[in-house]
Amino acid sequence: MMSYMTPMSIRPILIHPDPRLKKLATPVAGVSDEMRKLAGDMLETMYDAPGIGLAAPQVGVSTRLIVMDCIKEEGAAPQPMAMFNPEVVWSSDGLNTYEEGCLSIPEQYGEVERPAEVMVKWTDMDGAACEAKFDALWATCVQHEIDHLDGKLFIDYLGPLKRQMITRKMVKLKRERARA
Ligand code: K1U
Ligand code: ZN
């Protein structure tokens, strides 16, 4: 069935620590209806969370697909993006620090320094090759999401003590959720 005829679904988001969040994701061979359905479900899941980005490994699919919408202003038109096989092809020397969060590490935040601007190439929903420059929150978010495809989390940029403290909190959260 074509993806536009299939209703979108909210998928459960994996919580750290989980081995599926540490794996290197596999490139998408071609943008099939199954892949478009996954992208639609990921956008629905991201908006529902709510979040500004989501990567396929976060919903347990080890594929190089990310979605984003960094428009946060109330009443502004949404700008959903789905990117297959995204790759940073240029990074600025200038850096930007942002207090990042992650839907796989709920209610925990940490300052991460990353290139302020990046040029990214990817394949879109129609299978077309795209390239664009991202800055501000979009640049932070696209780098955070591509990191997920490489099995990297924002806490990997923090010091070992803060990383351990956050990981312990997540283990406790998962235990509590399993009991509920
Ligand atoms: O990848 C993810 O886990 C999503 C993550 C993306 C992200 C946030 C901050 C910096 C870099 C990347 C989130 O969306 S966390 C939630 C969040 O940031 C948010 C939630 C509601 C409104 C606005 C932002
Ligand atoms: Zn994340």
Side-chain angles (χ1 to χ4, degrees), residues 63-125:
T63 278
R64 300 190 80 80
L65 166 61
I66 65 172
V67 297
M68 298 194 294
D69 187 347
C70 294
I71 302 292
K72 293 203 288 188
E73 299 80 37
E74 196 122 323
Q79 216 173 292
M81 297 193 75
M83 306 165 87
F84 296 91
N85 301 331
E87 258 180 72
V88 174
V89 293
W90 172 86
S91 304
S92 64
D93 291 335
L95 303 173
N96 190 22
T97 301
Y98 194 87
E99 186 161 60
E100 297 191 15
C102 181
L103 296 175
S104 295
I105 310 177
E107 288 168 36
Q108 305 300 317
Y109 304 91
E111 287 201 343
V112 180
E113 190 178 59
R114 300 182 187 269
E117 294 179 315
V118 285
M119 186 80 81
V120 179
K121 70 171 189 181
W122 73 95
T123 301
D124 73 9
M125 288 270 224

Side-chain angles (χ1 to χ4, degrees), residues 58 101-103 144 148:
Q58 293 180 275
C102 181
L103 296 175
H144 175 117
H148 273 301

Side-chain angles (χ1 to χ4, degrees):
M1 188 189 276
M2 297 297 284
S3 58
Y4 59 80
M5 294 168 74
T6 316
M8 286 190 284
S9 329
I10 293 164
R11 300 194 185 201
I13 297 175
L14 299 179
I15 302 297
H16 164 74
D18 187 303
R20 290 168 288 182
L21 292 171
K22 301 303 295 172
K23 278 178 65 180
L24 182 70
T26 307
V28 176
V31 183
S32 60
D33 282 344
E34 188 192 349
M35 283 293 122
R36 277 187 276 270
K37 164 83 172 111
L38 174 61
D41 286 357
M42 285 170 56
L43 281 165
E44 183 98 334
T45 304
M46 178 192 81
Y47 286 125
D48 175 72
I52 55 171
L54 193 68
Q58 293 180 275
V59 293
V61 183
S62 190
T63 278
R64 300 190 80 80
L65 166 61
I66 65 172
V67 297
M68 298 194 294
D69 187 347
C70 294
I71 302 292
K72 293 203 288 188
E73 299 80 37
E74 196 122 323
Q79 216 173 292
M81 297 193 75
M83 306 165 87
F84 296 91
N85 301 331
E87 258 180 72
V88 174
V89 293
W90 172 86
S91 304
S92 64
D93 291 335
L95 303 173
N96 190 22
T97 301
Y98 194 87
E99 186 161 60
E100 297 191 15
C102 181
L103 296 175
S104 295
I105 310 177
E107 288 168 36
Q108 305 300 317
Y109 304 91
E111 287 201 343
V112 180
E113 190 178 59
R114 300 182 187 269
E117 294 179 315
V118 285
M119 186 80 81
V120 179
K121 70 171 189 181
W122 73 95
T123 301
D124 73 9
M125 288 270 224
D126 301 318
C130 303
E131 190 167 286
K133 197 171 181 180
F134 294 87
D135 64 8
L137 182 55
W138 286 92
T140 295
C141 190
V142 75
Q143 291 174 83
H144 175 117
E145 300 311 330
I146 292 173
D147 271 355
H148 273 301
L149 305 182
D150 296 328
K152 194 161 183 174
L153 301 172
F154 83 85
I155 56 169
D156 296 328
Y157 294 95
L158 309 179
L161 282 181
K162 180 144 193 204
R163 187 165 61 243
Q164 271 170 31
M165 186 195 73
I166 290 177
T167 299
R168 284 197 191 112
K169 282 186 183 168
M170 291 302 103
V171 169
K172 189 163 172 265
L173 175 75
K174 286 175 77 168
R175 212 183 295 132
E176 285 163 3
R177 284 190 182 179
R179 274 206 218 106

